[in-house]
Amino acid sequence: MKAIWAVIGLTTMAAATPATASETDKCAIRRPADSDLKVYAAHYFPKADAATIDALLACLGDPDPAVRDGFAFALWSEGLRGKQVEPALMRHANMRLQAVMAGPGDASGFRRPFAALALAEVARADRIEPFLTDVELHALAAAGTTYLRGVTDYRGFTVGEGWRHGVAHGADLMLQLALNPRLSRADADRLLAAIAAQVAPAASPYYVHGEPGRLAGPILYLARRSDIDDAALAAWFQSLHPDASPRWRDAYAGAAGLAAIHNSTAFASAIYVSASESKDPQIRRLAPLAVELIRALP
């Protein structure tokens, strides 16, 4: 490596955890000149303690996309996927990130979506090698679904600022939870409700950054569950059909109706393409339900 990263001002950073850091705080971790994340992760995480993890998580709210996304999240993902983070520290991060995700949004709008994305990596790590208790897994599902249902900042990619992508990042967390065989049916129902809330929400613009496909992903895996029968799936898709609200009554007369048609079509199409090509009969049963949704649209 051309440079070794060092955590600076560690005492200060321990106090400025992700849940309390101000919006103007910058990432206080030096990055290597060569950006060799794989090499550095192997040095960073085995020596990490709670304060070190807090310092890294604080970088997830940095306004610079190269720091927030290209460095902090990439390093976090590298560490978890490389199985270099101790379970106790993943538990610590789980609680810190949930606090950020549930907290007030910052004006720049980066911190909460990236907390959700970082939690998707925690959920993935637990899916592969369980370390969360059933109670902790349930709490993570509850926190994730509450976050996704509550997303109102629909900014995706902004030139010069990078990604926020609150809906997609929330959906990524739903995907990792949906894949977990320990997820209870009650938690699965929470995931379904949260995803339904963001398929074509009344306040959303036209989804143009891949949100429908990301929302479709967890639905495909939830359909593999033997405890979600055809009737339950049919009822869930029926909840996405047009209702008597003003935007649907005259959908082609305003932006709200047109966005609802666009977003619902994109979601149903993503489901149909994947389900119709799947060899899993549990997933294939989604295809006709997606077609019905498209036919129900104005």
Side-chain angles (χ1 to χ4, degrees), residues 37 41 45 60 67-80:
L37 295 179
F45 289 109
L60 293 171
V67 174
R68 179 183 66 253
D69 204 344
F71 161 59
F73 174 72
L75 181 60
W76 179 245
S77 179
E78 185 69 50
L80 267 65

Side-chain angles (χ1 to χ4, degrees), residues 42-49 52 84 89:
H43 293 278
Y44 186 90
F45 289 109
K47 300 176 182 178
D49 59 11
T52 312
Q84 295 162 336
L89 291 178

